[in-house]
Amino acid sequence: MLTDVLRWRRDGQDIVRLTVIRARGSTPREEGAFMLLTRTEQTGTIGGGRLEWDCMAEGRALLASGGALVERHIPLGPAINQCCGGAVTVRIERVQDAEALEAEIRAEWERLPQLLLFGAGHVGRALARSLALLPLRLVWIDAREEEFGIVPPGVEAYVTEQWEPLVQGAPAGSGVLVLTQSHTLDALITGAALEREDLRYVGMIGSRTKRKRFESAFRQIDIPQERIDRLVCPIGDFGIRDKRPEVIATFVTAEIATRMLCETDSVASPEFSEPVISDIADVTFASILS
C-alpha cells in the first residue's frame, strides 16, 4: 500500500479512502480496515464482494463529482447477495492530505513484526515473493548481490556479510529465518538468534539429521536446551514431501503467518543477550558441520 501511495503522490493522482468505521456480527473485515483507490487503481480491501464493489463505485463517483464525505450502512444480507450475517458502516472520503496519509501508512508499517530472511537462493527467492504478501516487515539478507533477482515491492534487501548487527538489533517479537548457502553460516546465524530470548520465531531450513548435528553444536557453546527447543527445523513441516522451492515457500509462509501474526502469549523478556558466536570460521562448527 505504501508503494502505491508514494507513486500516486508523485503522479499527482486524487485518492479516495474507504474505511470500515463500524462492524457488527459476522463481517469480512474488522473496524479500522481500509482501502484506497484512484480513478483506475486500488490497494487494500474492505472485504470484497458486492460490499466492496458498490463502495468503490461510489468512491469513484465522488472523485468524478468532487463530492463530500459520505457514510453507508450496509447489512450483509440477501439485498446485496452477500450473506455474512453482519453489518458494516463504511466511510467514503476524498484524501485531503496525501502527506499525512503516507505518514500514517508508514507508521503502521513500522509497527509490523519484522522477519529477517537470510539467504537468496532458490528457496529464499520463492519465500521472498510469498512472504512479501504478508503484513510483515521483511528484511532479506545475502552477501551475493546477483542472487536476489527482482526484489518484491516493500521488501528491504541488504547485500552484506555483516549479519550480526541485524540479528542483534532486531526488535523484540521479530523472527529469523535462515537458509543460506553454507551450513556453517546457518549455524552461526541460528545460534546467535537462539541466544536471544525475545524472538517470536527462529527457523532454519534442513532435515532432522541436520537439526540433530546442530543441536549438538549449540550445546557445546552452552546454549540452553530450552532455547534450542524453540528452533523450528525442518521448516514448513506439514507432512508434504515436496522439495520444489515454491511448494516449500507456501508451507513456510503458512507456518510464519501462524506463529508471527496470530494472537499468542507474549514473548520472553525484551532484553537482548550478546551472542557468543561471531567468527564465521569458528572451528567448533567447522569441524562438526564439515
Side-chain angles (χ1 to χ4, degrees):
M1 183 175 282
L2 180 59
T3 303
D4 292 322
V5 170
L6 291 172
R7 177 167 51 83
W8 294 343
R9 284 195 65 199
R10 184 185 65 237
D11 296 343
Q13 297 194 57
D14 293 328
I15 304 171
V16 163
R17 176 173 180 155
L18 314 179
T19 307
V20 178
I21 60 172
R22 280 188 293 277
R24 298 293 181 268
S26 179
T27 62
R29 289 301 307 273
E30 68 285 356
E31 289 183 6
F34 70 94
M35 65 181 296
L36 305 170
L37 59 144
T38 66
R39 287 179 171 83
T40 58
E41 297 182 77
Q42 68 190 68
T43 184
T45 180
I46 57 170
R50 178 73 179 275
L51 158 69
E52 185 169 295
W53 182 261
D54 287 351
C55 289
M56 285 176 58
E58 189 155 6
R60 289 201 165 108
L62 187 150
L63 273 179
S65 66
L69 174 152
V70 295
E71 292 184 1
R72 292 287 181 260
H73 180 72
I74 306 168
L76 301 173
I80 64 167
N81 197 27
Q82 194 166 340
C83 302
C84 299
V88 297
T89 301
V90 179
R91 176 178 293 151
I92 304 169
E93 58 187 326
R94 292 175 64 98
V95 173
Q96 303 295 336
D97 188 342
E99 184 176 356
L101 173 64
E102 178 189 332
E104 176 189 347
I105 295 172
R106 192 180 296 277
E108 182 177 341
W109 177 80
E110 290 175 351
R111 289 192 295 270
L112 294 175
Q114 183 182 90
L115 176 67
L116 303 180
L117 172 61
F118 289 94
H122 296 299
V123 178
R125 290 192 296 272
L127 271 165
R129 293 192 295 269
S130 183
L131 291 166
L133 301 174
L134 296 181
L136 293 168
R137 289 183 58 192
L138 181 58
V139 180
W140 191 14
I141 308 103
D142 200 299
R144 304 164 298 164
E145 183 175 6
E146 68 279 3
E147 290 296 312
F148 284 92
I150 298 174
V151 178
V155 176
E156 300 175 66
Y158 288 88
V159 180
T160 180
E161 296 181 350
Q162 303 304 312
W163 54 266
E164 296 100 324
L166 293 167
V167 173
Q168 294 175 19
S174 296
V176 174
L177 178 57
V178 183
L179 47 150
T180 77
Q181 79 282 8
S182 162
H183 279 202
T184 299
L185 185 55
D186 285 351
L188 292 169
I189 298 171
T190 303
L194 292 175
E195 284 286 344
R196 291 189 51 170
E197 298 179 310
D198 59 351
L199 297 179
R200 188 174 295 279
Y201 175 87
V202 179
M204 179 183 66
I205 197 167
S207 65
R208 288 176 175 80
T209 299
K210 179 180 178 181
R211 180 192 180 104
K212 288 179 180 178
R213 297 181 71 187
F214 275 45
E215 284 188 357
S216 176
F218 293 148
R219 283 191 288 269
Q220 288 186 31
I221 57 171
D222 297 325
I223 296 179
Q225 186 62 46
E226 61 269 21
R227 296 190 191 174
I228 296 173
D229 291 342
R230 291 168 42 219
L231 174 63
V232 179
C233 178
I235 54 174
D237 187 7
F238 287 83
I240 307 298
R241 301 305 175 208
D242 192 320
K243 296 184 179 181
R244 287 173 290 183
E246 293 77 12
V247 177
I248 295 172
T250 297
F251 289 115
V252 176
T253 299
E255 175 178 276
I256 287 173
T258 300
R259 291 174 177 261
M260 293 195 64
L261 301 178
C262 297
E263 292 295 330
T264 62
D265 293 335
S266 59
V267 294
S269 167
E271 295 182 1
F272 295 172
S273 297
E274 288 296 326
V276 298
I277 319 168
S278 60
D279 183 3
I280 198 168
D282 189 296
V283 293
T284 303
F285 288 114
S287 60
I288 293 175
L289 303 177
S290 60

